[in-house]
Amino acid sequence: MPKMVILPKMVLALGGYIRETVFPYTDVEGLKPFPYRNIIVGNPLNESVKIEVPVYDEDWIEKHKQLGLIIVTVNEDDDFVGLFKKVKYMVSKE
């Protein structure tokens, strides 16, 4: 699986790295749509962290939280810019 490096104190939005379940994949048994429009990832650590991309399922979220990253999911009706600024603030404070 491809990897991406998040540098220390960096914040990224992974909207382009989410593998959405759309046609022709809707008929595949056991494959459900990814419930979030975007994921914001912040690295509050003082070292770089490799993350797996693209994001395929919700297990990705918990797995990367365990690495010490800040993960915020974004739904369709959420204020993306506000959430992004919130994560930037959280990263800067740690």
Side-chain angles (χ1 to χ4, degrees):
M1 178 169 272
K3 305 249 191 253
M4 177 184 290
V5 175
I6 299 185
L7 301 174
K9 308 300 181 189
M10 186 176 192
V11 178
L12 290 175
L14 297 180
Y17 292 96
I18 294 173
R19 213 293 268 129
E20 296 176 6
T21 306
V22 294
F23 180 83
Y25 304 106
T26 53
D27 294 336
V28 177
E29 189 173 323
L31 195 59
K32 60 182 181 179
F34 193 72
Y36 306 109
R37 169 72 71 194
N38 206 332
I39 296 177
I40 301 169
V41 181
N43 181 3
L45 307 172
N46 290 322
E47 58 187 55
S48 298
V49 176
K50 281 188 201 177
I51 63 170
E52 295 177 352
V53 291
V55 179
Y56 287 101
D57 55 35
E58 293 181 79
D59 293 338
W60 184 98
I61 296 167
E62 192 58 40
K63 181 179 177 181
H64 286 78
K65 280 183 178 179
Q66 291 175 1
L67 295 175
L69 299 173
I70 298 168
I71 309 289
V72 175
T73 56
V74 182
N75 293 309
E76 193 167 330
D77 296 331
D78 288 341
D79 174 17
F80 170 76
V81 174
L83 291 173
F84 193 87
K85 288 180 179 181
K86 175 184 173 183
V87 175
K88 284 185 82 159
Y89 176 80
M90 292 167 67
V91 165
S92 71
K93 286 296 177 190
E94 293 201 24

